[in-house]
Amino acid sequence: MIKRRITRQVSLGSVKIGRNSPVSIQSMTKTDTRDIAATVRQVKSLESLGCEIIRVAVKDISCAQAIKKIKSKIKIPLEADIHFDYRLALEAIASGSDSVRLNPGNIRKKEHVVEVIKACRKKNIPVRIGLNSGSAGTNSAKGMVKAALDYLKIFEKEKFFDIMISLKASDVYTTICAYREMAKVCDYPFHLGVTAAGSAQAGLIKSSIGIGALLADGIGDTIRVSLTGEPENEVIAAKHILQSLGLRKFFPEIIACPTCGRCQVDLSKIVNNFYDAMLDTKYSTLNTKIALMGCEVNGPGEAKEADMGIAFGKNAGTLFKKGKIIKKVSYKDAVKELIKLI
Ligand code: SF4
C-alpha cells in the first residue's frame, strides 16, 4: 500500500486537498469562459464522469465576471486560472471563485501578490502556486524548486498558508525531479501534472508515467491529466491512474485479452463499450473482476481468476462465472447480458 506524504490540508470549496483526503481529480474547461452556456455544459459533462474540481481560463475581466454565473449552475468547486494580471485574480475572487492559480512566471510583483493574498484571506480560499518550467524562466528541476520557494516567501511573510503547489514541466523526468525535491522542503499539498503533455495517446503515456511515478512515491494530492482534445478523456485517464495504484476505486477491475489469431469478433469494440458502461458511478463500489476474452478455447481458462466474464466464438459468446459456463449469448447482446449478470 502506498504511504502518502504528510501535508497540510486546504479546502477548495467542498473538496479537501492534502493530508488524508483522497487524491482528487481535476480538469480544465476548453471553452471560452465568457461563453457561459458552453462552459457550464462542459463542466456538467465532466461532473457526470467524476471530475471533482474544475479550472477555467481567465484571460480578461469578462471571464472573471462570468465565473459568478458559471458557479451558480455547477456543483463542483472552481479554480480560476490567472496569468499576467493580478487584477483578474481579484475579480475572479469577487465572482466567487473557490481558488486562484497564480503563475509565478508572469505575476511577479510582490505588492500584486500581496493584494491577491489579502483577497483570498478575506474569502477564506486557497491559492495554487502554479509554476510551469517555461514561463518560470528555467528548464531545470532545481530552478523550478528555487523559483517556487522564492515565491512562497511572499505568502509565508504574510502568514498565509492555504497553498497548493504545482511544478509542471513538459519533460516528464524534470517534472518528477522537481516535485520530489519540493516534497523534501515543504509540507504544502501538491497538484500534480505534466504540462502540455500532448495527444490522447502520447500525452496519456507521459502523464501516466509522470503522475504515476510521483503517486507511487506517496507524492501528490490532486491531479490533472493534461491532454490535447476532449477534457472528458482527462477525467477518465485520471480515474485509471488512481485506480491502477490502488489509491481510489471507480469501477470494477476489467481484464481483456489482447486478442490473437483465434479471435473471431471485434473485441476492441466490445471492450470499449463495456468500459463506457462501467464509468457509471453505480458500479464504482463493485469489487468484481470481469474478463472479456477473445476466444472460447482459452478464454475461460485464461481468465480463471476473474469472478465473471465472457469468451467469444464466432458471432456469439459464452458467459462464465468463476470458470463455469452460464449461458451462450449473441455477439450483439454480449455487453448487455454481461451487465445483467453483474
Ligand atoms: S483468449 Fe483466445 S483470443 Fe484472447 S489472446 Fe488468448 S487465445 Fe487469443
Side-chain angles (χ1 to χ4, degrees), residues 257-263 267 293-299 302:
C257 88
T259 77
C260 68
R262 290 188 184 88
C263 182
L267 190 71
M293 309 305 281
C295 81
E296 288 172 312
V297 181
N298 291 329
E302 285 188 19

Side-chain angles (χ1 to χ4, degrees), residues 55-116:
R55 180 158 47 117
V56 299
V58 178
K59 58 183 179 186
D60 62 20
I61 217 82
S62 327
C63 292
Q65 288 162 346
I67 288 175
K68 195 169 189 175
K69 280 210 174 116
I70 296 168
K71 278 271 305 168
S72 71
K73 294 183 164 80
I74 64 171
K75 292 194 196 103
I76 54 177
L78 180 149
E79 182 173 274
D81 194 55
I82 311 291
H83 296 258
F84 300 108
D85 188 346
Y86 78 104
R87 288 167 300 185
L88 297 178
L90 299 181
E91 194 65 34
I93 295 164
S95 286
S97 182
D98 297 293
S99 162
V100 286
R101 176 268 173 119
L102 297 185
N103 183 341
N106 54 38
I107 299 179
R108 295 198 185 95
K109 281 206 171 130
K110 192 182 155 215
E111 58 269 32
H112 292 171
V113 178
V114 170
E115 284 292 304
V116 177

Side-chain angles (χ1 to χ4, degrees), residues 151-187:
Y151 209 62
L152 252 177
K153 277 186 200 147
I154 307 174
F155 292 80
E156 292 181 337
K157 197 153 179 258
E158 293 296 312
K159 300 209 177 320
F160 185 88
F161 305 104
D162 280 345
I163 296 165
M164 300 160 279
I165 296 175
S166 60
L167 301 164
K168 302 184 186 182
S170 54
D171 177 73
V172 176
Y173 191 59
T174 305
T175 305
I176 294 172
C177 293
Y179 279 103
R180 279 182 179 159
E181 286 307 310
M182 196 72 193
K184 291 180 194 160
V185 292
C186 76
D187 64 353

